[in-house]
Amino acid sequence: MNVKVINKSNNPLPAYETIHSAGMDMRAFLESDITIRPMDRVLIPTGLYIELPDGYEAQIRPRSGLALKNGITVLNSPGTIDADYRGEVKILLINLSDTEFIVKNGDRIAQMIIARYEQAGWELSGELTETTRGSGGYGHTGV
Ligand SMILES: O=c1ccn([C@H]2C[C@H](O)[C@@H](COP(=O)(O)OP(=O)(O)OP(=O)(O)O)O2)c(=O)[nH]1
Ligand SMILES: [Mg+2]
C-alpha cells in the first residue's frame, strides 16, 4: 500500500529501519536547533504532508530509546493523523527529564504507524448483554 506524500524537508522520507518494523522513524525538519527544557512541550515540524487512503490512520508514537535515555516522549501519544488531514504532520514532544534536550534537523524523534480503523455507528439500547466480568475492572481480578 502506498501513501501519497509531499516532502518539503531536506530529510529522507520516513523509513522502516528493519525488515519487520511496525513504525517508520520520523525526522525533525528544523532551520535551527530547538532546546526543550525540562517539562517543556514543543510542536516539531516534519515537512511532511500525507494523504492516507480512506480507512487508514497514522499514529505518532514515542521512540523508546529517547524515552529511556532522555525522558523525551510524545505528549499526546499516540497522536492521530486523520485520513482527511492535509496539513503538515507535526510531533508534540515533552521533556520529562530534569535536563535540557536539543533537537536538530534530521533527528529521528518519533515513529509513525499506519493502521486500519473502522468508524462505528451506535445501536441505542436499554440494556447490555450479561458477562462474567460484568462491571469489574481496574484490577478486580487481583495481581
Ligand atoms: O500528533 C499529531 C496529532 C495530530 N496532528 C494533526 C493531524 C490530525 O488529523 C489533526 C487533528 O488532530 P487531533 O484530532 O488529535 O486534534 P484535535 O485537538 O481534536 O484537533 P481537531 O479539532 O482539528 O481535530 O492534527 C498532527 O500533525 N500530529
Ligand atoms: Mg480531532
Side-chain angles (χ1 to χ4, degrees):
M1 191 256 295
N2 286 329
V3 175
K4 202 187 274 189
V5 61
I6 296 170
N7 185 4
K8 294 192 179 174
S9 82
N10 50 357
N11 297 316
L13 285 173
Y16 299 104
E17 299 292 324
T18 67
I19 186 164
H20 289 144
S21 288
M24 291 181 265
D25 284 348
M26 305 287 289
R27 295 176 186 272
F29 175 42
L30 300 173
E31 282 175 6
S32 52
D33 296 355
I34 286 183
T35 299
I36 315 180
R37 290 173 306 174
M39 293 312 291
D40 263 9
R41 51 187 190 266
V42 180
L43 195 57
I44 311 264
T46 65
L48 298 174
Y49 300 71
I50 65 176
E51 183 173 331
L52 291 160
D54 190 20
Y56 288 86
E57 59 156 339
Q59 299 172 6
I60 306 294
R61 299 193 201 157
R63 294 187 67 205
S64 62
L66 283 181
L68 179 64
K69 291 178 207 151
N70 305 103
I72 296 293
T73 190
V74 176
L75 178 57
N76 58 322
S77 183
T80 305
I81 311 296
D82 299 288
D84 55 0
Y85 180 67
R86 295 292 178 267
E88 182 177 12
V89 175
K90 295 187 178 177
I91 296 169
L92 182 52
L93 294 183
I94 185 166
N95 181 357
L96 299 180
S97 79
D98 55 10
T99 51
E100 287 183 346
F101 183 77
I102 296 170
V103 183
K104 296 177 184 300
N105 181 54
D107 282 357
R108 289 179 292 139
I109 53 172
Q111 56 186 319
M112 173 186 277
I113 281 79
I114 309 288
R116 279 186 161 283
Y117 71 89
E118 301 222 8
Q119 281 192 338
W122 294 109
E123 179 194 325
L124 201 56
S125 176
E127 56 185 353
L128 304 178
T129 309
E130 276 184 28
T131 67
T132 310
R133 172 183 287 276
S135 57
Y138 314 99
H140 92 296
T141 58
V143 286

